[in-house]
Amino acid sequence: MKIPVRVASVIINSLKGGVVPRIGLPYITVGRKSEINALLYDARIMEDGGSAFRFVVGKYGSGKSFLLQCYRNFLMDRGFAVADADLSPERRLTGTRGQGLSTYRELMRSLAVKTRPEGNALPLILDRWIVAVKNEVTASLPDSTAEKEINDAVESAVRDRALALCDMVHGFDFARLLVLYYRSFVNDDAELKGRILKWFRGEYNLKSEVKSELGVNIIITDDDWYDYIKLFAMFFAGAGYTGFVILIDELVNIYKIPQTVTRQANYEKILTMYNDVLQGKAHRLGIIMCGTPQCVEDTRRGVYSYEALRSRLSEGRFSDENRRDMLAPVIKLEPLTPEELLILSEKLSEIHAVLFAYEPRLTRSDLELFIRTEFGRVGADTHITPREVIRDLIELLDIMMQHPESTSESLLSDGSFAFAADSSDTGEENEFAEFSI
């Protein structure tokens, strides 16, 4: 395998630490054909001006986060703006202490495009939009036009395009700040530009503060942050991007909320977002939420405890384990097959050898024995996850590299070798990022 050592290092270290690598995903992607095709269908819908909403459901370690990261990279390559956030006790969809606004701030911090994949892409998007408008206006004016006249014409064009958003909730103030951002761009006013970006990111807490600094009397709050997500989706589309997709992971943190009223308020927010997308009230917007089967299907505390969502999301009577409707709102991840896990093991074995500069010692027969041993654990036929298999494989590769006298046969037959425990028996609720599809 030809892979840069830097990328190999990120892959192995991330997987060993239980997180999804941000780079190098194509080197380790296997399986999940039907799930990927379903998400690609959503991408085509958004490219045509529509919107999409999906739940991706799978148990801890099944590959939800990895699937999201692969999809994130694909979307950026297709010209989408993408933002992702993990929910937590401090980040929810709504709350009494600004937890919904915290989620919005995290989404804006992680906002990424192809040319800024690491996040914080909002300034880049705004600057490029202004430059594109200026180039278009300048091309339509005579060469002898004075600079002031050009700037006035560009500002007029910026205002016209911004005012196209005024039909949406909070669109007028959003448009005013876009025009103000253009003026800060032209005048090279870094301080004013920073204040406007601060407003767009939802970092103002007091209306009096934003009134004195920007001249507007509105701030983004816990109650209306989703309205601005819809505004940004329309703005990004007008700025030349295919659409805007937000990826929200760790729905289990809503499931864990002890107060019924607060939990139901979050599910009501999900319902609002779901209805907007499917009824066509949001345009060029994609939303994907990820959680475990329990946090979605539990009728006492999960998403299905909110009857309006349960009636919309639950499976029909024609679906079963052998026939799933992949166009339904909920995508349930199926376990990877032993053959797919074998292919993944081969890839990781090669990457490990590249990283530590040695000739691979594990043959295909050794890896087949490893997979058989993994599936030989009690309950592994129904509970084994890619996380467990990868953790064991990397441990095996590390030990064999550090102890050249060891063989795979001796390690796999040794009862003291620390195989991953069956996660279904641990009762753990902390979901690490998954890493294989």
Side-chain angles (χ1 to χ4, degrees):
M1 180 182 294
K2 294 183 178 180
I3 177 174
V5 173
R6 176 183 63 87
V7 176
S9 175
V10 171
I11 291 174
I12 296 298
N13 291 331
S14 296
L15 299 185
K16 189 173 182 179
V19 297
V20 179
R22 282 279 187 169
I23 61 175
L25 298 183
Y27 291 102
I28 54 175
T29 302
V30 298
R32 298 278 186 250
K33 181 178 179 180
S34 57
E35 292 92 338
I36 291 174
N37 285 338
L39 294 176
L40 297 185
Y41 170 80
D42 290 348
R44 291 194 294 270
I45 293 295
M46 289 182 282
E47 287 175 342
D48 289 337
S51 299
F53 194 117
R54 294 277 192 162
F55 290 87
V56 176
V57 177
K59 66 177 186 173
Y60 298 123
S62 62
K64 301 184 297 298
S65 297
F66 192 100
L67 180 62
L68 253 64
Q69 289 304 315
C70 288
Y71 193 46
R72 174 182 181 272
N73 292 345
F74 168 83
L75 290 169
M76 288 191 293
D77 286 339
R78 296 292 288 266
F80 285 86
V82 186
D84 60 286
D86 290 350
L87 299 184
S88 69
E90 293 74 34
R91 287 199 295 265
R92 299 171 182 169
L93 301 180
T94 186
T96 57
R97 300 190 306 275
Q99 293 98 326
L101 184 58
S102 295
T103 299
Y104 172 82
R105 290 170 177 170
E106 177 63 17
L107 288 170
M108 299 314 296
R109 184 200 64 78
S110 68
L111 177 64
V113 293
K114 185 176 181 179
T115 52
R116 187 69 65 81
E118 69 277 8
N120 195 28
L122 184 58
L124 174 70
I125 294 173
L126 290 168
D127 290 351
R128 288 191 170 182
W129 174 66
I130 290 172
V131 170
V133 174
K134 183 175 182 178
N135 290 340
E136 183 178 334
V137 171
T138 303
S140 64
L141 297 175
D143 294 338
S144 58
T145 305
E147 183 176 355
K148 184 179 184 305
E149 293 179 358
I150 294 176
N151 290 337
D152 291 343
V154 174
E155 180 171 338
S156 177
V158 167
R159 181 180 294 103
D160 290 342
R161 300 188 187 196
L163 290 176
L165 302 172
C166 286
D167 291 338
M168 302 178 67
V169 177
H170 304 307
F172 182 75
D173 290 293
F174 192 90
R176 286 180 61 190
L177 285 163
L178 286 176
V179 175
L180 196 58
Y181 187 89
Y182 166 74
R183 293 173 183 170
S184 70
F185 180 88
V186 171
N187 298 325
D188 197 21
D189 189 338
E191 183 177 356
L192 177 58
K193 184 184 293 187
R195 291 173 181 174
I196 299 169
L197 289 171
K198 180 180 176 181
W199 188 92
F200 280 135
R201 292 171 179 146
E203 295 172 358
Y204 278 102
N205 296 315
L206 299 174
K207 290 184 178 180
S208 57
E209 183 183 7
V210 74
K211 178 69 174 179
S212 63
E213 293 188 0
L214 295 175
V216 296
N217 196 31
I218 190 171
I219 58 175
I220 301 173
T221 68
D222 199 82
D223 295 326
D224 60 12
W225 65 267
Y226 170 62
D227 293 326
Y228 290 95
I229 292 293
K230 292 190 288 184
L231 277 166
F232 272 117
M234 289 296 293
F235 170 68
F236 292 156
Y241 292 89
T242 310
F244 185 28
V245 178
I246 61 173
L247 312 173
I248 297 178
D249 204 352
E250 306 286 2
L251 274 180
V252 70
N253 283 289
I254 295 180
Y255 173 82
K256 291 179 183 178
I257 298 174
Q259 299 86 5
T260 301
V261 173
T262 306
R263 197 169 57 245
Q264 292 293 300
N266 277 267
Y267 292 146
E268 186 174 354
K269 193 76 170 183
I270 293 177
L271 178 64
T272 298
M273 299 163 75
Y274 180 87
N275 287 342
D276 275 356
V277 168
L278 268 66
Q279 292 175 349
K281 296 178 182 178
H283 303 282
R284 300 273 186 172
L285 176 64
I287 302 174
I288 299 180
M289 296 186 176
C290 288
T292 60
Q294 185 181 26
C295 79
V296 173
E297 299 172 359
D298 189 332
T299 56
R300 188 175 63 89
R301 295 172 59 97
V303 174
Y304 284 7
S305 68
Y306 198 79
E307 180 59 27
L309 283 172
R310 187 201 63 77
S311 62
R312 287 164 169 79
L313 303 179
S314 56
E315 286 184 330
R317 57 193 179 93
F318 297 109
S319 296
D320 56 36
E321 292 186 358
N322 299 319
R323 284 187 314 240
R324 293 203 181 277
D325 179 12
M326 300 308 294
L327 298 180
V330 178
I331 298 176
K332 295 183 178 180
L333 297 187
E334 299 293 336
L336 290 180
T337 66
E339 292 79 11
E340 290 169 340
L341 288 172
L342 175 60
I343 294 173
L344 177 60
S345 298
E346 290 177 328
K347 291 174 179 285
L348 290 175
S349 178
E350 292 185 39
I351 293 171
H352 193 276
V354 170
L355 175 59
F356 294 103
Y358 67 87
E359 287 296 322
R361 293 180 58 192
L362 292 181
T363 65
R364 186 179 180 88
S365 298
D366 294 330
L367 293 172
E368 289 175 353
L369 174 61
F370 167 75
I371 295 297
R372 285 197 299 271
T373 305
E374 290 285 292
F375 276 85
R377 301 203 312 263
V378 176
D381 55 339
T382 57
H383 296 300
I384 196 169
T385 62
R387 175 191 297 156
E388 297 165 344
V389 174
I390 292 177
R391 186 172 61 191
D392 284 348
L393 176 64
I394 294 178
E395 181 183 3
L396 178 64
L397 292 169
D398 286 346
I399 290 175
M400 291 184 64
M401 179 189 68
Q402 297 171 66
H403 302 275
E405 72 281 1
S406 301
T407 64
S408 59
E409 292 85 352
S410 62
L411 288 171
L412 292 172
S413 62
D414 185 356
S416 63
F417 187 78
F419 290 110
D422 181 358
S423 61
S424 65
D425 297 330
T426 63
E428 293 181 358
E429 299 231 349
N430 293 322
E431 182 175 4
F432 295 104
E434 295 80 11
F435 34 69
S436 183
I437 63 172

